[in-house]
Amino acid sequence: MLARRSDVTLAQAQDAGDGALTSRVLIDGTDSGLTVHGIDLGAAFATPHGTLLFVEYGDDWEQSLTITLADPDMKALDSASLAVSGASGHLHDVREIGPDSVEFRFFGERRWVVRLHPAPRFVMPFAALGLGVQRPFQWWRWFSLGPG
């Protein structure tokens, strides 16, 4: 089951020198040790595997969204980003749509769905994802992300 978390916040971290802004994830005001790309927490959900975070980054002309699944010790298990050069998005209408899925809107009114897997799934990391979806190179995925 998924449940909204109200005890999760972000504290902007130091710029690593590459211009990218990152934040430290705080749980009840205490640094969890996890750093995420972005500065605005859009939503956080408790999941059977840990915490699912939606973090926005950007300005009025270009906005991106990073989705991160962290284990109970706040170590990143999986992540995905929605970003298109020159495109502006706004995270809204974030809601649970089942015991393992979260629906949201980003890039206008486009609906997206994150579906958590009961266990990590083997994937071929070479496939083109399209639609502005970017994933780090890894062989296992804890969640899928696609249009709703």
Side-chain angles (χ1 to χ4, degrees), residues 63-113:
Q63 190 81 8
S64 65
L65 174 69
T66 299
I67 302 162
T68 302
L69 177 64
D71 71 12
D73 294 324
M74 296 308 285
K75 305 289 185 246
L77 295 172
D78 197 0
S79 68
S81 295
L82 289 172
V84 175
S85 182
S88 184
H90 170 68
L91 178 66
H92 58 285
D93 297 335
V94 183
R95 62 187 183 97
E96 304 151 52
I97 57 169
D100 63 354
S101 300
V102 175
E103 178 184 73
F104 62 95
R105 295 185 189 276
F106 195 76
F107 295 138
E109 292 303 309
R110 180 179 292 249
R111 286 183 335 119
W112 297 88
V113 175

Side-chain angles (χ1 to χ4, degrees), residues 8-26:
V8 178
T9 57
L10 299 180
Q12 189 169 333
Q14 292 287 1
D15 182 348
D18 60 2
L21 296 178
T22 60
S23 296
R24 299 289 286 182
V25 177
L26 308 178

